Amino acid sequence: MKKIGIGLIGCGTVGSGLIRNLPKADALIGQRLGVQLEIKSIAVRDPAKSRDPLPTKPIQDWKKLIADPAVQIVVELVGGLDEAFQIAEATLHAKKPLVTANKALLAERGQELIPLAQKSGVPIYFEASVAGGIPVLKALREGLVANQLLGLHGIINGTSNYILSRMAEAGSDFATALQQAKDLGYAEADDRLDVDGVDAAHKAAILCFLAYGFLPKFSEIPIEGIRKIQSQDVGFASQLGYAIKLLAMIRPVGTDQIEVRVAPTLLPLRHPMASVHGAFNAVGLIGNLSGPVQFTGRGAGPDATSSALLADLAEAVKNLRDHSPGPALPKPSAKMKLIDRNASVGRFYVRIEVEDRPGVLAQVAGIFGTEKIGISSVLQPEGRGAGSVPLVFLLESAPASSLQRAVDLISKLPNTRAPATILRVEDLT
Ligand code: NAP
Ligand code: HSE
């Protein structure tokens, strides 16, 4: 059977998972494509580090790996931006297909990398960069290609979903749940990317690019993470009939603007995404022909990521075998832009810590009224004798700018004790 040589740059959590899973998948790929995958070279930062047995002795110099004539496809699993960009650039220059799981690279350096790939005519495969084992990029490129997409939303960071699930179901504290996510291989090498929403925003940018041909300027995407969520918010949300999830929203506004944001968001408990737990991800979208579609599956971890990497390798091998140019990347749209974050309109959950005195609730409600923000529900637990109580509001749809003005005014009231916690609410009807 014909053999295709693979060069693997990076052999940490994901790379070692790929090495473990490749022999199991190889027979299937051989049966289906008549080609065998063979890891010919591995490059790591520290070849002397002790590791599980590898198919070949690791080297340090990735340039040698790319130049090695036995390597026909390069897999980048180093992570980060600068070195990964150099690896990608050198791979394209060497006219070898690139497979990568690096969402940061695509979202933050895609403006340079995508034109390079298009100019070189060499394919980049990046299914593993979004939603782990869910083949959502392939679905956008192929199965849904005839649809105009009316919007996408998703739980696309496994680590934060794992942490929020542990807080809601097992009453875990944030730090313990994060450590478990790291031990299970879900978290990024720098776990701040997960908990601060940056990893989900990287994936949202990639989804936006595939769905609308528009790669937003990454620094302009509004991003909020899950650090501000307290267990009391999880409890109040549940009393109000909602679950809290780190949600990415991507939706066109008019003909030439797109809203892309990542924020902890209340979702109705009856919505299927509210029951997506642990490191599972979900991506929902509405196609003008398909109607609503939802994908759910394991969003992080070496096995789920191997599934996507192996699918990309199989596609790359097939394209090499057939002398096909591989998947075409969308032509970036010049006319699209992100909406101004203050122009965003939506519903909000607001928790304010106030002094337990008569008239305070009326004052706060009055400020929302002045800003023309309707109140759908209020929770005021009985005073706990500590002098301050949380006031929880679920608000009607309002511009983010009006909400911010109201919260600024509330923060200046003499009885307000702490900055407000503000979360998005999406009914996803
Ligand atoms: P990791 O555990 O930190 O592994 C990084 C690997 O890169 C290590 O083997 C390291 O070598 C090697 N490396 C670093 N600098 C290098 C250099 N200059 N030359 C050669 N090798 C170098 O990272 P990871 O968690 O596997 O993540 C890899 C990528 O997968 C990231 O882009 C991440 O975002 C993405 N990803 C992760 C998941 C997940 O579930 N964890 C899912 C999808 C995508 P040493 O071993 O010698 O240190
Ligand atoms: N750290 C990422 C997550 C890995 O938790 O979702 C999968 O991309």
Side-chain angles (χ1 to χ4, degrees):
M1 196 180 305
K2 188 173 160 56
K3 291 186 177 171
I4 295 272
I6 310 295
L8 182 60
I9 309 181
C11 190
T13 308
V14 175
S16 53
L18 179 63
I19 288 175
R20 209 173 43 247
N21 285 307
L22 191 132
K24 301 177 215 163
D26 203 26
L28 277 177
I29 294 177
Q31 249 173 40
R32 290 172 183 168
L33 302 178
V35 180
Q36 234 181 334
L37 303 174
E38 202 176 6
I39 296 186
K40 287 287 194 185
S41 181
I42 298 175
V44 291
R45 183 173 27 211
D46 175 9
K49 204 191 244 181
S50 111
R51 310 170 193 266
D52 288 341
L54 297 176
T56 169
K57 194 168 175 302
I59 58 169
Q60 194 177 41
D61 186 355
W62 54 258
K63 289 185 183 137
K64 268 197 188 144
L65 177 149
I66 294 172
D68 185 343
V71 169
Q72 287 156 281
I73 301 174
V74 175
V75 184
E76 180 275 309
L77 297 174
V78 165
L81 288 176
D82 292 340
E83 193 126 35
F85 185 82
Q86 290 166 24
I87 292 170
E89 196 178 27
T91 305
L92 296 175
H93 191 67
K95 299 279 177 206
K96 297 188 181 183
L98 174 72
V99 173
T100 178
N102 191 333
K103 41 273 162 111
L105 173 70
L106 293 153
E108 298 203 38
R109 303 287 299 270
Q111 314 274 9
E112 302 150 82
L113 189 59
I114 290 158
L116 266 182
Q118 283 168 330
K119 203 162 154 216
S120 69
V122 180
I124 303 184
Y125 300 86
F126 49 94
E127 186 65 62
S129 66
V130 180
I134 307 174
V136 64
L137 302 190
K138 200 169 172 82
L140 287 173
R141 281 198 282 118
E142 295 182 4
L144 293 158
V145 70
N147 282 263
Q148 274 177 352
L149 298 177
L150 311 181
L152 296 90
H153 51 269
I155 297 169
I156 47 179
N157 181 264
T159 302
S160 347
N161 203 45
Y162 181 84
I163 295 172
L164 291 173
S165 301
R166 296 295 297 168
M167 285 169 76
E169 292 153 21
S172 280
D173 65 276
F174 189 97
T176 310
L178 172 59
Q179 188 55 50
Q180 287 169 337
K182 285 162 86 164
D183 295 344
L184 291 162
Y186 302 152
E188 295 300 301
D190 176 355
D191 56 59
R192 289 173 300 181
L193 297 175
D194 295 295
V195 295
D196 292 331
V198 179
D199 177 77
H202 286 149
K203 294 164 180 166
I206 296 169
L207 287 172
C208 181
F209 177 57
L210 285 190
Y212 299 105
F214 169 61
L215 186 66
K217 196 168 171 200
F218 191 72
S219 58
E220 290 175 0
I221 298 178
I223 307 173
E224 293 170 44
I226 60 168
R227 280 183 211 276
K228 62 182 173 183
I229 309 292
Q230 298 183 4
S231 6
Q232 58 172 331
D233 295 310
V234 175
F236 290 139
S238 167
Q239 284 180 53
L240 292 162
Y242 291 83
I244 302 179
K245 298 287 180 189
L246 184 68
L247 195 77
M249 293 292 299
I250 303 152
R251 61 181 156 209
V253 179
T255 52
D256 57 1
Q257 295 195 89
I258 293 202
E259 177 167 23
V260 179
R261 65 175 146 84
V262 170
T265 303
L266 275 69
L267 300 181
L269 285 169
R270 64 173 184 283
H271 191 279
M273 274 202 191
S275 350
V276 172
H277 299 300
F280 273 64
N281 280 190
V283 178
L285 56 87
I286 306 172
N288 66 329
L289 304 174
S290 65
V293 177
Q294 184 172 308
F295 304 91
T296 313
R298 283 183 204 284
D303 290 347
T305 311
S306 295
S307 167
L309 287 168
L310 286 160
D312 272 354
L313 281 169
E315 192 177 350
V317 160
K318 188 166 165 291
N319 289 328
L320 277 180
R321 185 198 66 189
D322 300 346
H323 305 287
S324 156
L329 294 168
K331 286 263 171 292
S333 155
K335 70 173 182 124
M336 287 284 194
K337 56 179 199 255
L338 282 179
I339 66 160
D340 175 346
R341 61 184 73 201
N342 290 318
S344 173
V345 175
R347 297 188 64 205
F348 294 91
Y349 160 106
V350 180
R351 174 172 55 78
I352 307 156
E353 203 67 32
V354 294
E355 209 163 308
D356 192 7
R357 283 174 191 273
V360 177
L361 172 58
Q363 273 181 321
V364 174
I367 292 177
F368 285 130
T370 312
E371 287 299 333
K372 299 191 171 39
I373 304 174
I375 296 171
S376 339
S377 298
V378 184
L379 283 180
Q380 184 188 1
E382 275 192 55
R384 292 166 290 184
S388 80
V389 283
L391 280 185
V392 177
F393 294 87
L394 206 57
L395 302 172
E396 302 287 358
S397 192
S401 51
S402 310
L403 191 264
Q404 197 51 58
R405 271 197 306 275
V407 167
D408 289 346
L409 288 171
I410 291 166
S411 71
K412 290 186 188 126
L413 290 175
N415 295 311
T416 302
R417 285 285 160 266
T421 296
I422 305 169
L423 304 176
R424 289 270 178 175
V425 180
E426 290 289 345
D427 293 306
L428 297 179
T429 43

